[in-house]
Amino acid sequence: EDKVVQSPLSLVVHEGDTVTLNCSYEVTNFRSLLWYKQEKKAPTFLFMLTSSGIEKKSGRLSSILDKKELFSILNITATQTGDSAIYLCAGGATNKLIFGTGTLLAVQP
Amino acid sequence: EAEVAQSPRYKITEKSQAVAFWCDPISGHATLYWYRQILGQGPELLVQFQDESVVDDSQLPKDRFSAERLKGVDSTLKIQPAELGDSAMYLCASSLIWRGGRGNNEQFFGPGTRLTVL
């Protein structure tokens, strides 16, 4: 059965801290690994990773995929209160996404 | 910027009543998804359409849930009768067309409909 597991389930940090969110996956016909940010609304797209070892960056966020170990991490540097959200990881198969339960990040001033 | 539209944004109903949710995907996106997200969990796929055809409805509780996309554009998800356990966020997403296994996994989500069943 396909599954995506995220850790930690929740995390509380202070502004300026660096955080690393983890995602492991077992997905049949795996094609890509996606990260989404979800505040009190629908998920918004962050990254899509298809190749191992190639880091994708967007401002203070970066992510990398390890297809051998079936693992991805999302890093956020110099966190801000606006980064507080649920971060969802999804394994992309041929034509569907399998989501993890998410990591709830709370950034305190 | 093109967006996925959903309505209503919020719905409160009593158990055993019927409810319906509407979704209009991004123009040109042939693939449409309905997800259910229970508080504290990730989205769970209920049904996937390619144009007007159902591709995957294996997780759709067919005794009470139904979905249609008659003209291959907008879609309706219905629950009849609603139960207390149906309280959740119902998300619609769309993505570019899949042909012969080729496509893009990136899905664009609408704002969701938050359903509360009393």
Side-chain angles (χ1 to χ4, degrees):
Chain A
E1 183 180 338
D2 294 336
K3 64 179 179 181
V4 175
V5 178
Q6 293 186 245
S7 64
L9 292 180
S10 63
L11 190 57
V12 181
V13 300
H14 290 95
E15 275 191 313
D17 289 349
T18 293
V19 298
T20 298
L21 309 182
N22 305 297
C23 174
S24 63
Y25 63 91
E26 293 178 28
V27 174
T28 306
N29 297 321
F30 176 81
R31 294 174 65 91
S32 56
L33 192 291
L34 288 83
W35 285 95
Y36 285 84
K37 178 183 181 181
Q38 185 174 28
E39 297 169 271
K40 294 182 179 179
K41 50 186 179 180
T44 54
F45 174 79
L46 293 175
F47 297 109
M48 181 168 66
L49 304 156
T50 56
S51 301
S52 264
I54 299 175
E55 185 183 54
K56 288 208 171 183
K57 292 196 71 172
S58 177
R60 295 176 294 102
L61 278 67
S62 64
S63 184
I64 197 163
L65 174 67
D66 185 333
K67 293 171 74 172
K68 181 179 178 182
E69 299 297 328
L70 307 183
F71 191 81
S72 176
I73 60 172
L74 175 69
N75 281 318
I76 309 175
T77 60
T79 52
Q80 302 172 358
T81 55
D83 295 327
S84 296
I86 296 172
Y87 290 84
L88 293 166
C89 169
T94 303
N95 60 356
K96 64 180 181 181
L97 294 179
I98 298 94
F99 282 89
T101 54
T103 293
L104 175 61
L105 174 65
V107 181
Q108 296 181 340
Chain B
E1 184 175 312
E3 295 181 339
V4 176
Q6 287 189 250
S7 67
R9 295 291 303 276
Y10 303 91
K11 180 70 178 178
I12 300 174
T13 190
E14 294 183 344
K15 62 180 181 179
S16 80
Q17 296 298 304
V19 293
F21 312 133
W22 177 81
C23 172
D24 191 14
I26 292 172
S27 178
H29 281 195
T31 310
L32 183 148
Y33 310 82
W34 282 102
Y35 289 91
R36 176 172 59 188
Q37 186 176 23
I38 296 170
L39 193 63
Q41 299 182 18
E44 173 196 22
L45 180 68
L46 292 176
V47 62
Q48 178 184 339
F49 289 92
Q50 182 72 27
D51 299 311
E52 67 277 7
S53 300
V54 173
V55 173
D56 184 351
D57 64 356
S58 56
Q59 300 302 312
L60 188 71
K62 298 180 186 64
D63 57 335
R64 297 184 301 107
F65 286 64
S66 64
E68 61 184 18
R69 194 184 183 199
L70 295 177
K71 297 183 179 179
V73 181
D74 59 335
S75 175
T76 302
L77 178 69
K78 297 179 181 177
I79 309 175
Q80 182 175 18
E83 296 181 351
L84 296 178
D86 296 331
S87 295
M89 173 78 88
Y90 289 83
L91 296 165
C92 179
S94 69
S95 67
L96 290 172
I97 193 166
W98 282 88
R99 289 200 190 280
R102 296 182 177 180
N104 187 322
N105 274 129
E106 183 180 351
Q107 296 180 14
F108 297 84
F109 285 84
T113 296
R114 184 167 295 282
L115 173 67
T116 302
V117 182
L118 303 176

Coordinates of all heavy atoms in Angstrom, one line a residue, chain A residues 31-32 34 36 38 41-43 45 48 88 92-97 99-101, chain B residues 33 35 37 40-43 48 55 91 98 101 103-107 109-111:
Chain A
R31 N 6.8 9.1 -9.5 CA 7.3 10.1 -10.5 C 7.9 11.3 -9.9 O 8.8 11.9 -10.4 CB 6.1 10.5 -11.4 CG 5.6 9.3 -12.2 CD 4.4 9.8 -13.0 NE 4.7 10.8 -14.0 CZ 5.0 10.6 -15.2 NH1 5.1 9.4 -15.7 NH2 5.3 11.6 -16.1
S32 N 7.3 11.8 -8.8 CA 7.8 13.1 -8.2 C 7.4 13.2 -6.8 O 6.5 12.5 -6.3 CB 7.2 14.2 -9.0 OG 5.8 14.2 -9.1
L34 N 6.2 16.2 -4.0 CA 5.7 17.6 -4.0 C 5.6 18.0 -2.5 O 5.2 17.3 -1.6 CB 4.4 17.7 -4.7 CG 4.4 17.6 -6.2 CD1 4.3 16.1 -6.6 CD2 3.2 18.4 -6.8
Y36 N 3.8 21.1 -0.2 CA 2.8 22.2 -0.2 C 2.8 22.8 1.2 O 3.1 22.2 2.2 CB 1.3 21.6 -0.5 CG 1.0 21.2 -1.9 CD1 1.4 19.9 -2.4 CD2 0.3 22.1 -2.7 CE1 1.1 19.6 -3.7 CE2 0.0 21.7 -4.0 CZ 0.4 20.5 -4.5 OH 0.1 20.1 -5.8
Q38 N 0.1 24.8 3.8 CA -1.3 25.0 4.0 C -1.5 25.8 5.3 O -1.2 25.4 6.4 CB -2.0 23.6 4.1 CG -3.5 23.8 4.3 CD -4.2 22.4 4.2 OE1 -3.7 21.4 4.6 NE2 -5.5 22.4 3.8
K41 N -6.5 27.4 4.8 CA -7.2 27.3 3.6 C -6.6 26.2 2.8 O -6.0 25.3 3.3 CB -7.0 28.7 2.8 CG -5.6 29.1 2.7 CD -5.5 30.5 2.1 CE -4.0 31.0 2.1 NZ -3.9 32.3 1.5
A42 N -6.7 26.2 1.5 CA -6.2 25.1 0.6 C -4.7 25.1 0.5 O -4.0 26.2 0.7 CB -6.8 25.2 -0.8
P43 N -4.1 24.0 0.2 CA -2.6 23.9 0.1 C -2.1 24.7 -1.1 O -2.8 24.8 -2.2 CB -2.4 22.4 -0.2 CG -3.6 21.7 0.3 CD -4.7 22.7 0.1
F45 N 1.3 25.4 -3.6 CA 2.4 24.6 -4.1 C 3.7 25.3 -3.7 O 3.9 26.5 -3.8 CB 2.3 24.5 -5.6 CG 3.5 23.9 -6.3 CD1 3.6 22.5 -6.3 CD2 4.4 24.7 -6.9 CE1 4.7 21.9 -6.9 CE2 5.5 24.1 -7.6 CZ 5.6 22.7 -7.6
M48 N 8.3 20.9 -6.6 CA 8.1 19.5 -7.1 C 9.5 19.0 -7.5 O 10.3 19.7 -8.1 CB 7.3 19.5 -8.4 CG 7.1 18.1 -8.9 SD 5.8 18.0 -10.2 CE 6.5 19.0 -11.5
L88 N 2.8 20.0 3.9 CA 2.3 18.7 3.4 C 3.3 18.2 2.3 O 3.8 19.0 1.5 CB 1.0 18.8 2.7 CG -0.2 19.1 3.6 CD1 -1.4 19.5 2.8 CD2 -0.5 17.9 4.5
G92 N 4.0 11.6 -5.8 CA 3.3 11.6 -7.1 C 3.5 10.3 -7.8 O 4.6 10.0 -8.1
A93 N 2.4 9.6 -8.1 CA 2.5 8.4 -8.9 C 2.1 8.8 -10.3 O 2.1 10.0 -10.6 CB 1.5 7.4 -8.3
T94 N 1.7 7.8 -11.1 CA 1.4 8.1 -12.5 C 0.4 9.2 -12.7 O 0.6 10.0 -13.6 CB 1.0 6.8 -13.2 OG1 1.9 5.8 -13.0 CG2 0.7 7.0 -14.7
N95 N -0.6 9.2 -11.9 CA -1.7 10.2 -12.1 C -2.4 10.6 -10.9 O -3.5 11.0 -10.9 CB -2.7 9.8 -13.2 CG -3.4 8.5 -12.7 OD1 -3.1 7.9 -11.7 ND2 -4.4 8.1 -13.5
K96 N -1.7 10.5 -9.7 CA -2.3 10.8 -8.5 C -1.3 11.2 -7.5 O -0.1 11.0 -7.6 CB -3.2 9.7 -7.9 CG -2.4 8.5 -7.5 CD -3.3 7.4 -7.0 CE -2.6 6.2 -6.6 NZ -3.5 5.1 -6.1
L97 N -1.7 11.9 -6.4 CA -0.8 12.3 -5.3 C -1.3 11.5 -4.0 O -2.5 11.4 -3.8 CB -0.9 13.8 -5.0 CG -0.3 14.7 -6.1 CD1 -0.5 16.1 -5.7 CD2 1.1 14.4 -6.4
F99 N -0.8 11.9 -0.1 CA -0.3 12.9 0.9 C 0.0 12.3 2.2 O -0.6 11.3 2.6 CB -1.5 14.0 1.1 CG -1.6 15.0 0.1 CD1 -2.4 14.8 -1.0 CD2 -0.9 16.2 0.1 CE1 -2.5 15.7 -2.0 CE2 -1.0 17.1 -0.9 CZ -1.8 16.9 -2.0
G100 N 1.0 12.9 2.9 CA 1.3 12.6 4.3 C 0.3 13.4 5.2 O -0.5 14.2 4.7
T101 N 0.5 13.2 6.5 CA -0.4 13.9 7.4 C 0.0 15.3 7.7 O -0.8 16.1 8.2 CB -0.5 13.1 8.7 OG1 0.8 13.0 9.2 CG2 -1.2 11.8 8.5
Chain B
Y33 N -9.7 16.6 -9.4 CA -9.7 15.8 -8.2 C -10.6 16.4 -7.2 O -10.6 17.6 -6.9 CB -8.3 15.7 -7.7 CG -7.2 15.4 -8.7 CD1 -6.6 16.4 -9.5 CD2 -6.7 14.1 -8.7 CE1 -5.6 16.1 -10.3 CE2 -5.6 13.8 -9.6 CZ -5.1 14.8 -10.4 OH -4.1 14.5 -11.3
Y35 N -10.8 15.9 -3.0 CA -10.2 15.4 -1.8 C -11.1 15.7 -0.6 O -11.8 16.7 -0.5 CB -8.8 16.0 -1.6 CG -7.7 15.7 -2.5 CD1 -7.5 16.4 -3.7 CD2 -6.9 14.6 -2.3 CE1 -6.5 16.1 -4.6 CE2 -5.9 14.3 -3.1 CZ -5.7 15.0 -4.3 OH -4.7 14.7 -5.2
Q37 N -10.3 16.3 3.5 CA -9.3 16.5 4.5 C -9.9 16.7 5.9 O -10.6 17.7 6.2 CB -8.4 17.7 4.2 CG -7.2 17.9 5.1 CD -6.3 19.0 4.7 OE1 -6.7 19.9 4.1 NE2 -5.0 18.9 5.1
G40 N -6.3 17.7 11.0 CA -5.1 17.0 11.5 C -4.5 15.9 10.6 O -3.6 15.2 10.9
Q41 N -5.2 15.8 9.4 CA -4.7 14.8 8.4 C -4.4 15.4 7.1 O -4.9 16.5 6.8 CB -5.8 13.7 8.3 CG -6.1 12.9 9.6 CD -7.1 11.8 9.4 OE1 -7.3 11.4 8.3 NE2 -7.6 11.3 10.5
G42 N -3.7 14.7 6.2 CA -3.5 15.2 4.9 C -4.7 14.9 4.0 O -5.6 14.1 4.4
P43 N -4.8 15.5 2.9 CA -5.9 15.3 1.9 C -6.0 13.8 1.5 O -5.0 13.2 1.2 CB -5.6 16.2 0.8 CG -4.7 17.3 1.3 CD -3.9 16.6 2.3
Q48 N -11.3 11.0 -9.0 CA -10.4 11.7 -10.0 C -11.1 11.6 -11.3 O -11.5 10.5 -11.7 CB -9.0 11.1 -10.1 CG -8.1 11.7 -11.1 CD -6.8 11.0 -11.2 OE1 -6.4 10.4 -10.3 NE2 -6.1 11.2 -12.3
V55 N -11.6 8.3 -13.4 CA -10.4 7.6 -13.5 C -10.2 6.7 -12.2 O -9.7 5.6 -12.3 CB -9.2 8.5 -13.7 CG1 -7.9 7.7 -13.6 CG2 -9.3 9.2 -15.0
L91 N -11.8 19.5 -0.7 CA -10.9 20.3 -1.6 C -11.0 19.8 -3.0 O -11.1 18.6 -3.3 CB -9.4 20.1 -1.2 CG -9.0 20.7 0.2 CD1 -7.7 20.1 0.6 CD2 -9.0 22.2 0.1
W98 N -3.4 14.3 -18.6 CA -2.6 13.1 -18.6 C -2.9 12.3 -19.9 O -4.1 12.0 -20.1 CB -2.9 12.2 -17.4 CG -2.2 12.7 -16.2 CD1 -2.7 13.6 -15.3 CD2 -0.9 12.4 -15.7 NE1 -1.8 13.8 -14.3 CE2 -0.7 13.1 -14.5 CE3 0.1 11.5 -16.2 CZ2 0.4 13.0 -13.8 CZ3 1.2 11.4 -15.4 CH2 1.4 12.2 -14.3
G101 N 0.2 8.3 -19.7 CA 1.1 8.3 -18.6 C 2.0 9.5 -18.5 O 2.8 9.7 -17.6
G103 N 2.5 13.5 -18.0 CA 1.8 14.7 -17.5 C 2.6 15.3 -16.3 O 3.8 14.9 -16.1
N104 N 2.0 16.2 -15.6 CA 2.7 16.9 -14.5 C 1.9 16.6 -13.3 O 0.7 16.8 -13.2 CB 2.7 18.4 -14.9 CG 3.5 19.2 -13.9 OD1 3.4 18.9 -12.7 ND2 4.1 20.2 -14.4
N105 N 2.6 16.2 -12.2 CA 1.9 15.9 -11.0 C 1.4 17.1 -10.2 O 0.7 17.0 -9.3 CB 2.9 15.1 -10.0 CG 2.9 13.6 -10.3 OD1 3.9 13.0 -10.4 ND2 1.7 13.0 -10.3
E106 N 1.9 18.3 -10.7 CA 1.5 19.5 -9.9 C 0.0 19.7 -10.0 O -0.6 19.8 -11.0 CB 2.2 20.7 -10.4 CG 1.9 22.0 -9.6 CD 2.7 23.2 -10.1 OE1 3.5 23.0 -10.9 OE2 2.3 24.3 -9.6
Q107 N -0.6 19.8 -8.8 CA -2.1 20.0 -8.7 C -2.3 21.4 -8.1 O -1.6 21.8 -7.1 CB -2.7 18.9 -7.9 CG -2.7 17.5 -8.5 CD -3.3 16.5 -7.7 OE1 -4.1 16.8 -6.8 NE2 -3.1 15.2 -8.0
F109 N -5.0 23.7 -6.1 CA -6.1 23.5 -5.2 C -7.0 24.8 -5.2 O -6.5 25.9 -5.2 CB -5.7 23.2 -3.8 CG -5.1 21.8 -3.6 CD1 -3.8 21.5 -3.9 CD2 -6.0 20.8 -3.2 CE1 -3.4 20.2 -3.8 CE2 -5.5 19.5 -3.0 CZ -4.2 19.2 -3.4
G110 N -8.3 24.5 -5.0 CA -9.3 25.6 -4.8 C -9.3 25.9 -3.3 O -8.6 25.2 -2.5
P111 N -10.1 26.9 -2.9 CA -10.1 27.3 -1.5 C -10.8 26.3 -0.5 O -10.7 26.4 0.7 CB -10.9 28.6 -1.5 CG -11.8 28.5 -2.7 CD -11.0 27.7 -3.7

